[in-house]
Each structure stands twice: as C-alpha cells, then as structure tokens.
Amino acid sequence: MERIARPERLEKHWRGDCPKSKNKMTGRKNRTLHFQELGLMDYEPAFEFQEKLMKEIIDLKLENRTRTDDDQKQTPNYLLFVEHPHVYTIGKSGDEHNMLANAKKLEEINATFVKTNRGGDITYHGFGQIVGYPILDLDNYKSDIFLYMRNLEEVIIRTIAEYGLKGERSEGETGVWLDVGKPYARKICALGVKTSKWVTMHGFGLNVNTDLRYFDYIIACGIKDKGVTSLKRELEREFSPSEMAEVKEKIKKHFCDIFEASII
C-alpha cells in the first residue's frame, strides 16, 4: 500500500509545486482529454481497450525519441467512464485468500473473478458504480505517481463534498474514506493503477447505487477491519439515471480542475 503524504506536502502539490521529473520530456505537453462513455461493458474488453490506448501512447513516446525537438508529436490523454457487470478483480500483488467465494458461489451470484495487472488487492465492480479509467501520459502533467494517486483521491473528495460528505484519506490505505480514525470508518471509492513509461491505466471505482452485499464475498482491498459504503447508503436514497449522469459531470469537472486539463 502507498503511504499518504503529509498535509503540507499535499497542499504544495495541489498548487502545482511538484518535484520535477528526472525523465526527459518526450513530445509537447498536451493537457486535453478525450472523454468516452463506454456504458455497460464486461471487464475484459474494457481492459483490452485500455491496453490498446496505453500502447498507442507509449509507441508515440518512443517514436518521439527519434524526432528532433521541432518535430515532436503530442501524446493524447483519455478519460473513460464505464459500468461493469458483477466482477471481482485482483491486482498483481493481491492475496487470493481475500476472495472468500468459491467458483460455485460466484456462479450463484452471477459474478466473475479476474486477475489483472494493476496495483492493489481485490475489489469489486458492479452495477451502480462509476468506474473511471484515466489513460494519461503523466509527462503531460506531473511525472509523479504518488501525486497522481493523491490527485485522483482529491477528485473524488471534491465530488462527494457536493453531496455533503467529507471524504478523507486513511494513512497507508489508498482510496477515499469516510470517518477515518473511527470504528465505523468505511471506503466509498477504491483506486488501483498501473503505469508504464509514465502512461497510466486502470483508475477508480466510486460506489453510487452499488449493491454492497457483493463486498461480503471479499476482504476488500485486503483490509479486514473496515467496511465499504456508497452514496446511496450515506444519503439514504437511490440515484436516478439523471442523477448518476450529474455525478459523472461533477467528476469530470473536478478532474479537469485538479489536473488543469480540458475535455474535448
């Protein structure tokens, strides 16, 4: 698990005072985002689409290394929203003992189990959850994975604040939490990413109308003593399709604000 920055360090980062990358920048900085709503999609094709976009960006970065400074090509960035049918995914460093359901139980609850290449342990994706996959060339922003993770958390913290919820970080536990430090601390948004040559894939899953019973079949993120929650549970109401769309627009707005990006 990544450790959380001290408040003063985070404050500097959000002002843009980030340590400079030691890597030479390839291409000109491009902070525009190509947004795509993928709708309801199985996990595997969404994963393959992410990999395709990531490879295209990496290939262009490698190509830029052979170009003169005046002939550099901008690398694109993408922000994908998707909703997955019931699926449990586990990161490359995850512990499979945190999956509590056997194959028969998975079949009964109409869920699948997928090993993937992101960081982190096991989590759940399903109906009523907003999953965001930023495919970014961090050389266009700040080449700092620690800062990137904290900024993703900040996007969600600011989004749920618009619904009267105080999102927080929990020391040593990536994601966005409520009531940190209390016996009933609970996670509302999980994060897990992969980077290669400063290009990102995977991202976050914000529980909105999520059926939280599906978390009973795992030790979410490998954390045994804390629960999970959703906007629906916290606000005690179901979000309509139009309200779900509104949450997505808020995420996009805060993403652009924090990453100093624009959506096209």
Side-chain angles (χ1 to χ4, degrees):
M1 284 287 187
E2 298 184 50
R3 295 191 64 81
I4 308 303
R6 296 188 303 273
E8 62 269 23
R9 181 181 176 188
L10 287 169
E11 187 177 312
K12 289 180 180 179
H13 279 175
W14 295 331
R15 292 200 306 266
D17 302 330
C18 177
K20 294 182 179 180
S21 168
K22 295 181 180 179
N23 290 4
K24 180 182 178 182
M25 179 69 68
T26 55
R28 294 167 293 171
K29 283 191 176 183
N30 171 29
R31 292 193 174 181
T32 58
L33 292 166
H34 297 273
F35 173 75
Q36 189 166 349
E37 171 64 69
L38 301 180
L40 181 63
M41 180 182 286
D42 285 339
Y43 185 83
E44 289 87 345
F47 172 81
E48 291 169 1
F49 186 50
Q50 288 183 79
E51 283 201 313
K52 175 179 177 293
L53 297 178
M54 182 187 218
K55 182 179 184 303
E56 289 175 356
I57 297 172
I58 290 173
D59 287 348
L60 182 54
K61 294 185 76 169
L62 293 175
E63 180 185 330
N64 275 336
R65 291 182 180 179
T66 68
R67 294 175 175 271
T68 64
D69 289 345
D70 293 335
D71 196 30
Q72 296 284 296
K73 292 184 177 180
Q74 287 188 331
T75 51
N77 310 284
Y78 302 90
L79 177 60
L80 313 176
F81 281 175
V82 66
E83 184 178 20
H84 294 307
H86 305 302
V87 60
Y88 297 99
T89 69
I90 191 167
K92 57 188 178 181
S93 60
D95 183 349
E96 289 190 40
H97 289 98
N98 291 326
M99 163 53 75
L100 306 179
N102 58 25
K104 182 179 180 181
K105 174 55 71 173
L106 288 174
E107 186 176 356
E108 288 177 5
I109 63 176
N110 197 28
T112 56
F113 176 56
V114 178
K115 296 179 182 179
T116 190
N117 63 352
R118 61 166 171 77
D121 209 287
I122 194 166
T123 195
Y124 162 77
H125 297 305
F127 303 106
Q129 185 185 71
I130 297 174
V131 176
Y133 294 138
I135 317 296
L136 307 182
D137 178 4
L138 290 183
D139 278 331
N140 285 326
Y141 302 91
K142 299 289 184 180
S143 304
D144 182 331
I145 188 61
F146 180 94
L147 172 63
Y148 175 63
M149 296 295 287
R150 304 295 77 80
N151 278 346
L152 287 182
E153 291 167 344
E154 185 66 13
V155 170
I156 302 302
I157 287 171
R158 294 188 187 186
T159 298
I160 66 174
E162 296 202 40
Y163 296 93
L165 298 177
K166 183 183 178 182
E168 299 177 279
R169 297 173 178 83
S170 180
E171 180 71 24
E173 297 167 337
T174 299
V176 178
W177 300 78
L178 304 182
D179 291 312
V180 171
K182 299 178 181 177
Y184 44 89
R186 55 217 181 273
K187 179 181 280 191
I188 196 168
C189 182
L191 277 71
V193 303
K194 169 186 168 64
T195 60
S196 177
K197 301 189 186 310
W198 294 114
V199 180
T200 70
M201 65 179 289
H202 301 291
F204 60 85
L206 173 63
N207 296 324
V208 183
N209 287 331
T210 315
D211 185 346
L212 300 178
R213 292 175 298 179
Y214 276 81
F215 285 97
D216 293 342
Y217 300 105
I218 60 173
I219 301 173
C221 303
I223 302 170
K224 296 181 179 180
D225 59 345
K226 293 179 182 176
V228 293
T229 191
S230 65
L231 287 176
K232 176 183 176 180
R233 173 173 286 183
E234 296 300 321
L235 301 180
E236 299 181 335
R237 65 178 179 87
E238 184 94 11
F239 276 62
S240 68
S242 63
E243 288 175 317
M244 285 283 286
E246 183 181 72
V247 178
K248 292 177 182 180
E249 288 304 311
K250 293 181 187 300
I251 293 172
K252 288 161 64 177
K253 174 186 179 297
H254 292 300
F255 194 99
C256 288
D257 287 346
I258 290 166
F259 287 88
E260 298 179 350
S262 60
I263 288 179
I264 57 174

